[in-house]
Amino acid sequence: MKNASLLWLLILISLLSCTTNQARLTVSPSSSQFFIRDFVSLSCEEDDSSAGWTLRRNTSKQQRTQCGDGWGEAAGSSCNISYIYTSDSGVYWCESREGPISNMVNLTVTGGSVILQSPVLPVMEGDDVTLLCKTKTTPSNLPAAFYKDGSLIRKQPTGHMTIQHVSRSDEGLYKCDISGHGESPSSWITVTVIRLVCHLVVFCPYFISTLLSVSLYQHRANGNDPTVILATAANAEQRMCEDYDDIAAVTSEHQF
Ligand SMILES: *[C@@H]1O[C@H](CO)[C@@H](O)[C@H](O)[C@H]1NC(C)=O
Ligand SMILES: *[C@@H]1O[C@H](CO)[C@@H](O)[C@H](O)[C@H]1NC(C)=O
Ligand SMILES: *[C@@H]1O[C@H](CO)[C@@H](O)[C@H](O)[C@H]1NC(C)=O
């Protein structure tokens, strides 16, 4: 079964190559809520930097505007917003000529004095998620109350709370409150299912066909029946897709 192992290796290599076609939008500092006049840097992380991308956003006033076009400053591989305002609240994403290539991120800017820091990037089901309640003026953390769907869930003297082993039941609208300072805006935490590998397989016909021709060639050379190895390849792909179908991710969403 030396050939079956080789085939597995080829499938793995092709899947790894496929993942580089995706980009990830990251936000620094890592938060989905900001105070007005905060500095925010957004960046599209991809392995092939020559592909070319633009950062776009939808706000309540304008749709699909590009970084540098009335907002933000394109700075190398990132887009910096030096003084963010409430009108910068909206959904941000990276786009190539072919269309959207990244996750979408909701940013909420508040004129108030309390924010809830929840993860900007998707978090896998089963991971721990830490929520931090911050004031604009106090550098150290103050005691905070955390709410889910309008009901108090926890009071934390440290100002942060960790949800362990996140599951679908943790889905909801979160906010926090610091006595004497006020309430943060609300953020959605949702559990979504992603079909990562299956999509990648669909988008990478080049790699799949390459590995099939290599294995076919090999088996012709060995005098084996090529249909056997083709069936093995198809089964392997199917099994991989099934394994990945159930992967769930937690994303933060924000209300305006
Ligand atoms: C942004 O706005 C455009 C035009 O209204 C809309 O087609 C698109 O779906 C919006 N994108 C997001 C991510 O909300
Ligand atoms: C943009 O932000 C990045 C990350 O903070 C920083 O390294 C870079 O110097 C900034 N560029 C400009 C032009 O502000
Ligand atoms: C962004 O916020 C809007 C409005 O609350 C919500 O409908 C949307 O699903 C959110 N998107 C993401 C990627 O969090």
Side-chain angles (χ1 to χ4, degrees), residues 187-255:
S187 287
W188 273 105
I189 293 183
T190 41
V191 181
T192 54
V193 174
I194 51 169
R195 289 184 156 79
L196 188 63
V197 169
C198 289
H199 286 183
L200 292 174
V201 169
V202 169
F203 286 127
C204 300
Y206 171 75
F207 290 104
I208 302 301
S209 60
T210 304
L211 86 88
L212 285 178
S213 4
V214 168
S215 62
L216 264 176
Y217 174 79
Q218 237 206 346
H219 279 259
R220 285 228 180 90
N222 293 347
N224 290 346
D225 182 359
T227 51
V228 175
I229 206 77
L230 274 173
T232 316
N235 279 339
E237 266 176 51
Q238 200 187 340
R239 251 178 283 143
M240 283 185 137
C241 290
E242 281 164 4
D243 287 349
Y244 276 82
D245 265 359
D246 294 329
I247 289 181
V250 175
T251 56
S252 286
E253 296 177 357
H254 297 271
Q255 281 216 330

